[in-house]
Amino acid sequence: DQQVKQNSPSLSVQEGRISILNCDYTNSMFDYFLWYKKYPAEGPTFLISISSIKDKNEDGRFTVFLNKSAKHLSLHIVPSQPGDSAVYFCAASANTGNQFYFGTGTSLTVIP
Amino acid sequence: DSGVTQTPKHLITATGQRVTLRCSPRSGDLSVYWYQQSLDQGLQFLIQYYNGEERAKGNILERFSAQQFPDLHSELNLSSLELGDSALYFCASTRTGRSEKLFFGSGTQLSVL
């Protein structure tokens, strides 16, 4: 039962353009969402988070948008850089604990 | 460097065997999590410990067990190994174990032949 879904396994974007990575969830109790970036042979590293009381959070080139009614969040990277090429995971948890449910990841390739 | 240390980085073993994966959390973190990433799968939550006590359990098989020791390091024991147990096993830690971002180690790649 996949409660967090990333339906695009891969995405290619030209350098300087916007990358949009999408994530859907099914559990309406989820109230805290994270995005992680993962390079090969490394563990996932935290990128940005958003709680359900907000609909947008920005950190430099990275912005996460949350649409609670649609149970959808997205990560925007502007402008995209070759160093952004990695696998991106979204994750969600409910306030009852810190058990995070992860999506299957989207592999982003930024083409120079 | 996240500050979370996992050993070994790679482990190759045979079916039916037992292995132990080790995790040292970031300094000051009390909660440890174990995740499994199989091919083409997301990170599947296995189990969480907080200050030595089990706090949450996910899709952990009965053949698997874990514990967190008084010095807060954790071990994940996998027994009667099957080919399907081949995966990347990640450990993560947080300070309080509630509504916080996870800090991940670099993982242990387990190959069961």
Side-chain angles (χ1 to χ4, degrees), chain A residues 2 31-32 34 36 38 41-46 49 87 89 93-105, chain B residues 33 35 37 40-45 48 55-58 88 90 94 97-107:
Chain A
Q2 195 73 22
D31 61 355
Y32 186 51
L34 306 174
Y36 279 83
K38 184 182 180 304
E42 295 182 12
T45 54
F46 171 76
S49 66
V87 177
F89 292 96
S93 75
N95 63 5
T96 52
N98 216 39
Q99 179 179 339
F100 279 94
Y101 294 87
F102 281 78
T104 51
Chain B
Y33 309 73
Y35 282 83
Q37 185 185 16
D40 296 331
Q41 296 289 313
L43 292 125
Q44 300 291 321
F45 171 71
Q48 177 197 2
R55 174 167 278 184
K57 196 177 255 191
L88 198 47
F90 287 106
T94 63
R98 291 199 178 274
S99 297
E100 294 175 291
K101 62 189 182 190
L102 305 168
F103 290 87
F104 283 89
S106 55

Side-chain angles (χ1 to χ4, degrees), chain A residues 74-94:
Chain A
S74 61
L75 174 69
H76 293 209
I77 306 173
V78 183
S80 301
Q81 298 174 354
D84 296 329
S85 297
V87 177
Y88 289 78
F89 292 96
C90 67
S93 75

Side-chain angles (χ1 to χ4, degrees), chain B residues 6-7 12 15 32 44 65 74 76 101 104 108 110:
Chain B
Q6 286 189 251
T7 56
I12 301 174
T15 55
V32 170
Q44 300 291 321
S65 65
S74 178
L76 179 66
K101 62 189 182 190
F104 283 89
T108 294
L110 173 66

Side-chain angles (χ1 to χ4, degrees), chain B residues 45-110:
Chain B
F45 171 71
L46 296 178
I47 198 164
Q48 177 197 2
Y49 280 84
Y50 177 77
N51 206 21
E53 300 290 326
E54 182 184 305
R55 174 167 278 184
K57 196 177 255 191
N59 299 322
I60 188 166
L61 300 172
E62 286 191 13
R63 299 184 285 109
F64 296 1
S65 65
Q67 54 184 323
Q68 186 180 26
F69 295 87
D71 67 353
L72 301 176
H73 91 271
S74 178
E75 292 180 357
L76 179 66
N77 300 296
L78 316 176
S79 61
S80 303
L81 284 167
E82 302 175 359
L83 296 177
D85 298 326
S86 295
L88 198 47
Y89 291 84
F90 287 106
C91 167
S93 72
T94 63
R95 207 155 302 270
T96 68
R98 291 199 178 274
S99 297
E100 294 175 291
K101 62 189 182 190
L102 305 168
F103 290 87
F104 283 89
S106 55
T108 294
Q109 179 67 60
L110 173 66

